[in-house]
Amino acid sequence: MGTYTLRVANADDQDAPADPLVGERVLAAADALFREICRNIVSGELRLQGEVPEALYADAGIFDDRDLSADARRMMDGTLDYLGGVTHGTWMDDTFPDVVGRKRVAARVLDVASALDGCVLIHGVEGEEGVFSGVDTVWVRGMANAVVRATNGGLMGLVVKDPSRRDHWALMRDEGLVPLIFKPGTSRYDIEDYAAAGPVIVTGTVIRDDDDRVVEIRTIENCYTFPGVVFLRGIGAGRDLGLVSALEAVPSYYQRGRRWYLRNQDLGIEAEGDTWDSCVMDFHRKFLDLWHSHSDGTAEANARIRGMLDAMHRFPREPGRASDLI
């Protein structure tokens, strides 16, 4: 793989350096875009329901060799090429399926474009560089400022009785209760089965407010249990590890203690938390601790676990779309 290039040049002569002040502003905006894409990757890969802790991606840099950085660079190059091009297709929707994340990425691209001031941004692997010179401002601003009231999708949580509405149900998530409206004719017995099933994915029409917060799920068609979750990257504060085979975990929730659990019996990992987000981050921290302890020889020798860990590691992959949920 060649050296990665990110530099600002004069629009009329790309061999001529840009005004230093302009270059500084453009590179700062590009760094903010890169960081937003890192945030988006972490959110999608860990299936986080709330805001992503900055510690999970703060140490990723445009030019470093972290797995997360390599994927974010490729996604940034693709985003600049697409939004700076002339084709209006579905690439952004496919690459950033999360509505809020997609809006944030588009807003950061607008910041890069507005900082150019007669310059261009040359980006990409040496020999394959792209030249970003601006965007269709109306189109991209519409993407960044879109008010998306209703989208079809699925959200994870627990179906519970709504304490504020008699004979109604809600989805309990890290961010609170979301009212549920099932399709007419849905059996009460089916709903009670959903509530007894533990963690489920509720599919229907997701309603958001002006601030992109989920306020309701309507026309619910079904609720699906998920016996396991898979991760293609281990992510912790200041570190990440790309995987060639999935890291699997079995989720559970105990109502009495109001605790989430994730378990991987083969690796001997059990994580817990009072929210899904805290639980999944604890699971990844323990996995990375296990990986590094076997990698540096500080762990007690265990050929079976070491063999499993070795089989899971991968080289950086071409990033696909961020995970929708599971």
Side-chain angles (χ1 to χ4, degrees), residues 78-114:
T79 300
L80 292 172
D81 288 341
Y82 175 73
L83 294 184
V86 295
T87 302
H88 293 185
T90 62
W91 191 88
M92 285 292 288
D93 291 19
D94 295 340
T95 306
F96 304 105
D98 174 65
V99 174
V100 177
R102 182 165 65 248
K103 290 172 62 174
R104 288 178 171 180
V105 169
R108 299 290 78 77
V109 172
L110 281 174
D111 292 341
V112 176
S114 65

Side-chain angles (χ1 to χ4, degrees), residues 44 106 265:
Q265 186 172 351

Side-chain angles (χ1 to χ4, degrees), residues 28-160:
D31 183 68
L33 170 61
F34 171 82
R35 291 172 59 76
E36 180 57 42
I37 291 174
C38 286
R39 190 206 65 79
N40 194 283
I41 292 173
V42 172
S43 178
E45 298 232 8
L46 297 191
R47 290 84 170 168
L48 298 181
Q49 298 188 64
E51 281 297 317
V52 179
E54 191 173 354
L56 295 182
Y57 62 92
D59 291 341
I62 292 178
F63 298 102
D64 69 35
D65 58 359
R66 282 183 60 174
D67 184 82
L68 174 62
S69 300
D71 281 0
R73 280 194 298 269
R74 288 190 287 267
M75 291 177 73
M76 182 173 75
D77 290 337
T79 300
L80 292 172
D81 288 341
Y82 175 73
L83 294 184
V86 295
T87 302
H88 293 185
T90 62
W91 191 88
M92 285 292 288
D93 291 19
D94 295 340
T95 306
F96 304 105
D98 174 65
V99 174
V100 177
R102 182 165 65 248
K103 290 172 62 174
R104 288 178 171 180
V105 169
R108 299 290 78 77
V109 172
L110 281 174
D111 292 341
V112 176
S114 65
L116 286 173
D117 194 19
C119 296
V120 296
L121 178 64
I122 300 173
H123 63 94
V125 178
E126 185 178 13
E128 302 176 7
E129 295 94 342
V131 179
F132 179 76
S133 59
V135 297
D136 179 338
T137 305
V138 174
W139 176 49
V140 180
R141 182 170 290 121
M143 187 185 303
N145 297 331
V147 177
V148 184
R149 297 289 188 186
T151 56
N152 293 327
L155 294 177
M156 185 189 70
L158 302 162
V159 175
V160 298

